[in-house]
Amino acid sequence: MSLPPGFLDDLRTRTSLSSVVGRKVIWDVRKSNQGKGDMWAPCPFHQEKSASFHVDDRKGFYYCFGCQAKGDALKFVQETENLGFMEAVELLAREAGMTMPARDPVAAQKADRRSQLVEVMEEAVKYFRLQLKTAAAATARDYLTRRRLTVEALDRWEIGWAPDTRQGLFQALGTKGFSPELIVASGLCAKPDADDGRGTAPYDRFRGRIIFPIRDGRGRAISLGGRSLDPNARAKYLNGPETELFDKGRNLFNLAPAREASGKGAPLIVAEGYMDVIALSEAGFKAAVAPLGTAVTEDQLRLMWRVHPEPVIALDGDAAGLRAALRVIDLALPLLEAGQGLRFAVLPAGLDPDDLLKAQGSGAMQAVLDAAQPMVNLLWQRETEGRVFDSPERKATLDKTLRTALMRIKDPSIRGHYGAEIKNLRWALFNQRGPGGASRKAWVPGAPKGGAWGGKGWQPPPGPPMAATKSSALAIGGGHERLLEQIIVAILLTHHRLILSFEAALERLEFSDPEVAKLRDALLLYADEKDSVVFRAKVDNQHRALVESLLGQSHVITAPPVQKTDDPEFAKICVADMLGKLRSERGRRREIREAEEDISGLADEGVTWRLTQANEARFSAAKGPRAAKGEGFVAENGVEMNRDELEEAKKLWESIDYTRNGRRKT
């Protein structure tokens, strides 16, 4: 089966390679840079512990520096899923929402037809460029000169002129051998209504307009945009209709050059129209794009993020520009991901990028871009600007509105950060001044009331901490979790054959102590070593000081699984138990952050239930796996005890003879 020209290119454009590869690997967060699409992971094609598998999300290619595996998303799916080429294409097309071409000769016909439509469009571009040089286009040339477009710029952007004739383009294309049906299918001409009274021959869509070619990511002409010079025209700008080539919601003006410039480090600027993009590009801001006559769509947003992780939306400094920005916010909130956001550059009132560049130059435009705000600021501005919050009811309404907006963010981490920022903005708005205009101080739990003595009489100041106290694990920070991390690493250092059993959990575990994390990495690196002596020698050779420091701590060296070097089963149970406690505690905190009201509103029954479930899970994990099964319990001193062992100990205790020569001791 043959695929239509451009189908695979469209598929690769709509598919994120990092998302495809991410199903099979665990990214190395220390080495990867998600914002730049620069991702690293252990290679899925050969056994390794280091991250030598590189994914360039922008270029859409991967390469392993270990086994030299390389390819694109299609090749990766083929290799990892054991699929044929067409099966891989079908899988990715289904995920991207693309319809596979039919498996019959009709597909070939459609491919040929798309190629013919591209030819029609390219001939139309040539025709309009020639018309711009005629005497009839003098008014258009004067207008472009006033817009400070040089002859070289007109050639770079392939700007043309559509004469105000009914069938000028139609007849010109007809002489090139194109059929009327094909010309109409390209969107360049349209058939008249039955009651038009001017015949049945197709007429030109673009008449008396300056023409801007619209090209796709491959550089092919797929449609046209036209600007009227008639102030009484019904539409100032006119785009071609949607055709087999052109879907205005899935394309951007100047996409291919902007993608190339962004790949070289330029920020992606999203302007409103053709002239803004041209003016920005000619002024040195090469990575500039614009939507095609519609509000920004989800597909266009995803396309922007494929080009740059944080596009800058350059807004016209008027009410319409602000309304457009607010629509983008509502659209973008559910699509936000880590390393994938938007910033907004608001231009001076009454100016668009073209006006600002002509009036003040590129320096002023750069200053506007440098001052671009994150999206959360515009969200806050939308809900608060021009409003008064002088009553609890109005404040509650604001809280509800913002909470509703934040709940549209699917990513819990981003939602949490948005909530934290909104809280800060809310505090600044509602708590700047107290009664009488005096500045309020934030309440601190346990802080003394009144004067310096707090009304409780004199208390001696605390003495300086002892050196032993300052050097303890609890004083350093991290508390209970840090102790568990250290003991886990120490146990696995002692029982290295257990490492492979916990390999996945160790790779995902985020260590609070970076030094202990280095030891974890060394354990994983040499986990395949069968000889215990050789394993320990390799680890010591790499991190001798860290090993000595870890095993020199009293809470580590006295841990029973570390002391019992001949009981790997006991050590395995202890490691599993500790990992479970860490997961539970961190899951509890994560759940609390997500359940906590984003804007300090009142908690409802749902939040209460979530907190209850989180704490129950935490206490269950703290009791240990045997207690959860009813096989044991936790004593008052915190030691987990097996019930069967306890019963045996009781029997042994009762069997002891406490008498001397048959007489009980007194």
Side-chain angles (χ1 to χ4, degrees):
M1 171 186 176
S2 62
L3 294 171
F7 183 88
L8 292 180
D9 289 323
D10 292 341
L11 179 60
R12 293 185 179 101
T13 300
R14 299 189 193 186
T15 303
S16 172
L17 178 59
S18 62
S19 299
V20 175
V21 176
R23 307 167 192 164
K24 302 292 184 180
V25 303
I26 298 176
W27 300 117
D28 187 335
V29 296
R30 296 159 298 178
K31 198 173 182 180
S32 302
N33 188 331
Q34 188 173 5
K36 295 183 177 180
D38 186 43
M39 309 298 290
W40 294 83
C43 182
F45 301 112
H46 76 285
Q47 296 295 324
E48 66 169 1
K49 303 299 179 184
S50 60
S52 61
F53 186 79
H54 179 229
V55 171
D56 190 331
D57 206 21
R58 291 188 181 179
K59 296 181 179 179
F61 286 95
Y62 65 83
Y63 180 78
C64 178
F65 289 86
C67 66
Q68 285 74 54
K70 60 182 179 181
D72 59 2
L74 286 170
K75 183 67 174 296
F76 186 86
V77 172
Q78 287 180 263
E79 296 292 337
T80 57
E81 302 291 347
N82 194 25
L83 300 175
F85 176 75
M86 291 306 303
E87 292 175 314
V89 171
E90 290 178 357
L91 176 63
L92 292 181
R94 186 165 56 251
E95 294 177 351
M98 298 176 62
T99 303
M100 285 290 295
R103 296 177 178 268
D104 55 36
V106 176
Q109 295 178 4
K110 289 184 177 180
D112 293 338
R113 181 175 175 84
R114 288 178 63 91
S115 299
Q116 292 172 350
L117 291 174
V118 171
E119 292 180 17
V120 174
M121 295 302 308
E122 294 291 355
E123 287 296 331
V125 171
K126 295 177 183 178
Y127 169 79
F128 289 131
R129 291 184 66 186
L130 288 173
Q131 294 301 312
L132 185 62
K133 300 176 181 181
T134 63
T139 303
R141 291 195 299 272
D142 291 342
Y143 169 81
L144 294 170
T145 301
R146 292 196 302 272
R147 301 299 295 261
R148 300 186 181 182
L149 290 178
T150 64
V151 175
E152 293 77 15
L154 297 179
D155 290 337
R156 276 194 297 271
W157 295 93
E158 301 178 288
I159 296 175
W161 169 251
D164 194 8
T165 58
R166 184 172 175 83
Q167 294 182 320
L169 175 63
F170 178 75
Q171 293 174 357
L173 293 176
T175 61
K176 296 288 185 179
F178 297 110
S179 67
E181 186 273 335
L182 198 63
I183 297 173
V184 172
S186 69
L188 297 170
C189 297
K191 291 182 178 180
D193 297 331
D195 57 352
D196 185 82
R198 285 185 279 184
T200 59
Y203 62 90
D204 297 352
R205 287 185 182 273
F206 298 92
R207 292 173 288 175
R209 293 179 180 269
I210 295 174
I211 299 299
F212 304 93
I214 300 172
R215 297 184 176 275
D216 63 8
R218 299 173 61 193
R220 303 175 304 173
I222 56 176
S223 189
L224 303 174
R227 192 208 190 273
S228 177
L229 297 182
D230 184 359
N232 299 318
R234 287 185 295 178
K236 183 178 178 180
Y237 282 94
L238 176 67
N239 289 323
E242 295 198 358
T243 65
E244 299 171 51
L245 289 178
F246 181 53
D247 184 344
K248 64 179 66 179
R250 295 181 180 271
N251 288 279
L252 295 166
F253 180 67
N254 196 43
L255 174 60
R259 182 167 57 193
E260 181 180 354
S262 181
K264 297 177 181 179
L268 181 66
I269 306 170
V270 184
E272 186 174 342
Y274 305 117
M275 290 303 304
D276 292 329
V277 170
I278 293 173
L280 285 166
S281 183
E282 292 297 313
F285 304 95
K286 301 294 185 181
V289 296
L292 297 165
T294 64
V296 176
T297 66
E298 290 188 10
D299 290 319
Q300 287 175 331
L301 268 179
R302 294 190 178 96
L303 192 55
M304 295 174 195
W305 282 320
R306 291 293 308 276
V307 177
H308 194 280
E310 200 172 47
V312 179
I313 311 296
L315 305 173
D316 293 355
D318 54 18
L322 183 58
R323 287 195 300 270
L326 300 182
R327 288 194 297 268
V328 174
I329 290 175
D330 289 331
L331 183 69
L333 281 174
L335 306 177
L336 294 177
E337 297 179 3
Q340 181 176 290
L342 295 173
R343 299 186 74 84
F344 293 82
V346 182
L347 279 75
L351 299 180
D352 59 23
D354 187 22
D355 296 331
L356 181 62
L357 287 167
K358 287 192 295 185
Q360 303 179 33
S362 58
M365 188 67 211
Q366 186 62 57
V368 170
L369 296 176
D370 293 340
Q373 305 176 47
M375 193 165 71
V376 65
N377 289 2
L378 241 67
L379 175 63
W380 174 259
Q381 180 181 341
R382 179 180 73 178
E383 303 301 339
T384 58
E385 193 171 44
R387 303 181 186 180
V388 178
F389 303 97
D390 56 356
S391 69
E393 293 82 5
R394 291 182 176 181
K395 294 178 181 178
T397 300
L398 174 64
D399 292 347
K400 182 179 180 181
T401 303
L402 289 170
R403 190 181 304 114
T404 301
L406 296 186
M407 291 308 297
R408 298 182 64 204
I409 303 175
K410 297 179 181 180
D411 189 302
S413 176
I414 295 179
R415 186 166 64 247
H417 286 296
Y418 263 69
E421 186 63 28
I422 290 293
K423 283 182 180 180
N424 294 335
L425 294 170
R426 187 182 183 278
W427 176 262
L429 178 64
F430 293 158
N431 299 275
Q432 289 179 340
R433 298 289 175 182
S439 295
R440 290 187 182 179
K441 293 183 178 180
W443 176 75
V444 179
K449 298 179 181 180
W453 312 116
K456 296 183 179 180
W458 181 85
Q459 295 182 2
M466 296 184 296
T469 303
K470 291 192 291 182
S471 62
S472 67
L474 291 175
I476 294 173
H480 182 61
E481 293 184 25
R482 184 184 292 263
L483 301 183
L484 289 177
E485 294 168 2
Q486 293 173 343
I487 295 174
I488 289 172
V489 172
I491 295 173
L492 296 177
L493 188 63
T494 307
H495 304 270
H496 90 281
R497 290 185 175 88
L498 299 177
I499 297 174
L500 294 178
S501 302
F502 301 99
E503 183 179 14
L506 287 173
E507 288 177 341
R508 291 192 297 269
L509 184 61
E510 295 182 5
F511 282 78
S512 53
D513 188 342
E515 299 299 314
V516 181
K518 292 179 181 178
L519 281 179
R520 182 271 314 269
D521 296 341
L523 297 183
L524 293 173
L525 180 62
Y526 303 119
D528 293 327
E529 181 60 56
K530 296 181 180 180
D531 192 306
S532 301
V533 177
V534 176
F535 165 80
R536 184 61 179 270
K538 289 182 177 180
V539 176
D540 287 348
N541 185 53
Q542 187 174 357
H543 298 294
R544 185 178 300 277
L546 293 180
V547 172
E548 293 177 352
S549 175
L550 177 66
L551 298 181
Q553 301 187 55
S554 58
H555 65 276
V556 173
I557 198 64
T558 57
V562 177
Q563 292 185 336
K564 297 181 179 181
T565 59
D566 58 346
D567 194 349
E569 190 62 30
F570 174 65
K572 186 176 183 179
I573 294 173
C574 292
V575 172
D577 187 31
M578 293 178 185
L579 287 172
K581 290 177 180 179
L582 282 174
R583 286 194 300 268
S584 176
E585 178 61 26
R586 292 172 178 179
R588 180 185 70 91
R589 289 204 307 268
R590 192 163 51 248
E591 182 70 18
I592 290 176
R593 285 197 305 267
E594 295 177 17
E596 190 181 33
E597 290 188 288
D598 294 322
I599 330 163
S600 72
L602 296 176
D604 57 16
E605 295 180 358
V607 174
T608 305
W609 180 85
R610 292 173 65 186
L611 294 176
T612 302
Q613 294 297 309
N615 278 313
E616 288 181 358
R618 176 202 179 192
F619 294 140
S620 176
K623 292 178 181 179
R626 291 185 293 180
K629 297 178 181 178
E631 300 173 359
F633 68 95
V634 180
E636 294 181 357
N637 61 357
V639 177
E640 184 185 347
M641 303 184 68
N642 185 284
R643 294 187 183 275
D644 295 335
E645 294 174 351
L646 180 62
E647 291 298 325
E648 292 179 4
K650 286 182 177 180
K651 292 178 181 179
L652 178 63
W653 186 268
E654 293 173 353
S655 67
I656 297 175
D657 186 4
Y658 292 95
T659 63
R660 176 181 295 177
N661 299 325
R663 295 178 296 177
R664 185 170 295 279
K665 295 187 291 183
T666 59

